[in-house]
Amino acid sequence: MLRCRALLLCSVLVTSLVGCAGRPEGVLSPIETRAPGATPVEMVVATTRQRSSDGSRLFTGERAQTITLAEMVVSVPPDSARVIGEVQWPRANPPDPAREFATLSARIVEIDEAQSTLRRLLATKGHGRVLVFVHGYNNRFADAVFSLAQIAHDSRAPAVPVLFTWPSRGRLMAYAYDRASTNTSRDALEGVLTALVNNPRVTEISILAHSMGNWLTLETLRQMAIRSGRVPVKIRQVMLAAPDVDVDEFRAQLNAIGPVRPQMTLFVSRDDRALAVSQRVWGSVARLGAVDPNVEPYRSHLARERIAVIDLTGAGGADPLHHSRFAELPNVVRSIGRRLASGQPLHGREHGLTEHIGLAATHGAAVVGAVAGIAISAPLAAVDPDGHESLEEQLRHMQQQGQAALGGAHRR
């Protein structure tokens, strides 16, 4: 039955994902060329994937019995040559670092060397903050590495990036396999988080999970709370981006984690097409990442659990499935970085429920391609990406510009 559901998921999503099919394989072979203005992003990687015999891939989507550690350095092209919020995938091998993401270094390491690298990176940052990224379904190893490099770079987060990558086969037809892989990786993620907690140089851990990676993250936190009585205090923030999690499962997970928990921030999009299909696959029970936080019973439950919500419904982005907006929208991803820098939760009010970034844009020939109207729905001074004006103010400026463009079109 689950296999049939996975086939349903694939058949609905495949037409929206054809753009991904052109990505080249084997992009992890290090290059020696450096591009002026490009930024190197260094990360520590922990994975439950099997090693690949192909050095340009490093790891497969098959399951390993133990954790393997690696160190990666990824070159992000200059901002002038890219769109912030997107991964500029190589069009061929070797990549052009002036325009595309490229691998500068990729090494399998032992635990002592990984710890030494972590100490060096923490010293470079000047503090003890770590950002752990847990990717979602249909991610190859290279997808996960480049995604974290993009998030770390575009957010400007002053935190050491740590990637936990579980065995996703990176194929649409492997939905059931991927979900099972999250379950087999819970102990490994707990081990990685425990090692970071026990490191005296680490003072604060934030977790950013996406899609199916949220299930793995929440199950691991649940497991840690049951084992130790609570989630370790060093785990300060958990950001749940487009979680592919049943809302009833989420309630049960929160109950097991307990009332003393990390600050949780939920990124939702009611127009997330991937989660709409997942809801059908899992018996029409609402997916957490697609709920409307302003209606019951979700409003009361989220407020009671003190979960901040950032509603990205209608906010655009390049992803045709509207499933990766948290990393695509420059204002949002930079807000994540600023909150990590300040050590503050990713919301503006201590008891606030929703930081709503709701945009409804209409494009038409009547305004010569300009935005005809941008409606801001229930803004609550959501985020301050650059430290000068709130996102609410920026959106109001956009609204005024759209109205001016519309008025000009009418006059013409």
Side-chain angles (χ1 to χ4, degrees):
M1 177 61 70
L2 189 56
R3 178 69 173 173
C4 294
R5 289 174 175 175
L7 289 171
L8 170 63
L9 176 73
C10 297
S11 66
V12 176
L13 293 184
V14 68
T15 56
S16 297
L17 292 174
V18 291
C20 300
R23 292 179 182 174
E25 296 284 348
V27 298
L28 297 181
S29 292
I31 64 171
E32 295 183 359
T33 305
R34 303 294 190 269
T39 303
V41 176
E42 189 170 1
M43 68 183 72
V44 177
V45 179
T47 183
T48 48
R49 297 174 183 261
Q50 282 188 15
R51 293 274 301 273
S52 173
S53 59
D54 183 349
S56 67
R57 290 177 172 83
L58 284 185
F59 294 96
T60 71
E62 301 306 302
R63 301 167 189 150
Q65 299 301 310
T66 58
I67 298 175
T68 302
L69 302 175
E71 297 174 2
M72 306 288 301
V73 183
V74 175
S75 174
V76 178
D79 288 352
S80 59
R82 60 184 296 262
V83 176
I84 303 301
E86 295 182 13
V87 172
Q88 281 66 46
W89 276 90
R91 287 167 287 185
N93 287 316
D96 177 1
R99 297 181 299 169
E100 300 165 335
F101 279 54
T103 303
L104 300 181
S105 175
R107 299 190 308 122
I108 307 298
V109 298
E110 298 298 327
I111 188 168
D112 290 346
E113 194 170 1
Q115 290 174 339
S116 176
T117 297
L118 185 63
R119 286 195 298 270
R120 174 174 56 80
L121 293 177
L122 288 169
T124 300
K125 299 292 183 182
H127 51 72
R129 297 192 184 100
V130 171
L131 173 63
V132 178
F133 178 59
V134 185
H135 62 80
Y137 152 70
N138 191 27
N139 270 239
R140 303 170 301 173
F141 179 71
D143 298 327
V145 169
F146 281 7
S147 291
L148 177 54
Q150 178 258 311
I151 292 167
H153 175 272
D154 292 350
S155 69
R156 304 170 187 168
V160 175
V162 174
L163 172 64
F164 183 84
T165 173
W166 48 275
S168 167
R169 281 182 171 162
R171 297 201 300 265
L172 286 173
M173 299 296 290
Y175 185 85
Y177 175 89
D178 279 16
R179 176 59 182 259
S181 291
T182 63
N183 288 331
T184 63
S185 298
R186 288 176 293 186
D187 289 349
L189 178 55
E190 180 182 5
V192 170
L193 293 175
T194 300
L196 291 172
V197 167
N198 292 336
N199 187 322
R201 291 178 173 81
V202 174
T203 60
E204 181 179 318
I205 301 167
S206 296
I207 303 173
L208 174 60
H210 181 228
S211 190
M212 193 181 286
N214 284 275
W215 167 259
L216 170 56
T217 297
L218 289 166
E219 281 293 287
T220 301
L221 295 176
R222 172 184 177 274
Q223 184 169 296
M224 296 178 80
I226 292 173
R227 192 186 309 278
S228 304
R230 60 158 298 167
V231 175
V233 294
K234 281 189 180 181
I235 303 178
R236 296 280 301 279
Q237 295 198 61
V238 178
M239 292 166 279
L240 309 172
D244 188 4
V245 177
D246 183 313
V247 293
D248 296 329
E249 291 176 324
F250 180 59
R251 290 190 183 95
Q253 289 164 331
L254 286 184
N255 288 337
I257 292 171
V260 183
R261 66 172 76 104
Q263 168 62 49
M264 290 189 175
T265 301
L266 172 63
F267 294 81
V268 300
S269 292
R270 295 188 300 283
D271 54 353
D272 188 319
R273 298 174 63 193
L275 294 183
V277 176
S278 180
Q279 180 171 328
R280 293 173 58 191
V281 169
W282 291 104
S284 298
V285 178
R287 310 311 285 174
L288 179 62
V291 302
D292 186 341
N294 293 304
V295 303
E296 300 296 350
Y298 310 119
R299 180 180 180 87
S300 296
H301 181 255
L302 294 168
R304 183 170 59 253
E305 299 292 348
R306 299 175 59 83
I307 295 173
V309 181
I310 298 180
D311 192 341
L312 300 176
T313 302
D319 176 12
L321 299 181
H322 308 152
H323 193 53
S324 303
R325 284 172 168 153
F326 77 101
E328 291 181 335
L329 301 173
N331 289 345
V332 177
V333 72
R334 286 173 179 167
S335 299
I336 292 174
R338 294 191 65 81
R339 295 316 184 200
L340 293 178
S342 66
Q344 298 300 312
L346 194 66
H347 63 98
R349 297 182 178 186
E350 182 178 358
H351 300 286
L353 172 65
T354 306
E355 301 174 18
H356 194 99
I357 310 171
L359 303 182
T362 303
H363 299 266
V367 292
V368 198
V371 177
I374 302 177
I376 306 171
S377 177
L380 295 179
V383 285
D384 184 9
D386 298 310
H388 301 298
E389 61 180 2
S390 70
L391 184 58
E392 177 186 0
E393 292 169 330
Q394 294 186 35
L395 295 180
R396 290 193 185 282
H397 291 164
M398 292 170 64
Q399 184 182 39
Q400 293 168 359
Q401 292 169 2
Q403 291 171 344
L406 183 60
H410 285 325
R411 285 191 295 272
R412 286 192 294 272

